[in-house]
Amino acid sequence: MTNFSQLSLTPGDLVKLAKVYKDKGKWNGKQILSESWVNKTFDTDYGDYGYAWKHKYYNLDGKRFDSYLATGNGGQKISV
């Protein structure tokens, strides 16, 4: 494997990463990413990318739900 960073994460690690972003940079109550970094990551228009996360949204029963998607090597995906 010689392309990209080849970072390999387990499914559990991907869930943890998604949770940190969902919780505005906190893990177990401790701030490990600045909240401003997380906000900048998700400060995009629909279809745009913010720090490698793609902004998408879904409509369900007349309500709009924002979603942010990160995809990785081998089909890995995180959605927040």
Side-chain angles (χ1 to χ4, degrees):
M1 294 194 236
T2 59
N3 56 356
F4 303 106
S5 67
Q6 297 306 317
L7 176 64
S8 179
L9 299 172
T10 66
D13 290 336
L14 294 171
V15 170
K16 289 175 186 176
L17 184 59
K19 182 157 177 43
V20 166
Y21 272 89
K22 179 184 175 293
D23 293 342
K24 300 187 185 291
K26 290 184 180 177
W27 178 253
N28 290 331
K30 183 179 178 185
Q31 196 77 41
I32 63 170
L33 288 177
S34 73
E35 187 172 339
S36 67
W37 177 268
V38 174
N39 290 339
K40 286 178 185 177
T41 299
F42 295 150
D43 185 20
T44 62
D45 292 326
Y46 173 72
D48 286 342
Y49 286 87
Y51 299 167
W53 293 76
K54 184 169 185 172
H55 180 198
K56 302 183 100 182
Y57 71 88
Y58 304 93
N59 289 310
L60 180 65
D61 295 332
K63 289 185 178 180
R64 177 177 156 155
F65 295 90
D66 288 299
S67 174
Y68 300 90
L69 177 68
T71 59
N73 191 17
Q76 295 176 321
K77 293 182 181 181
I78 303 171
S79 184
V80 177

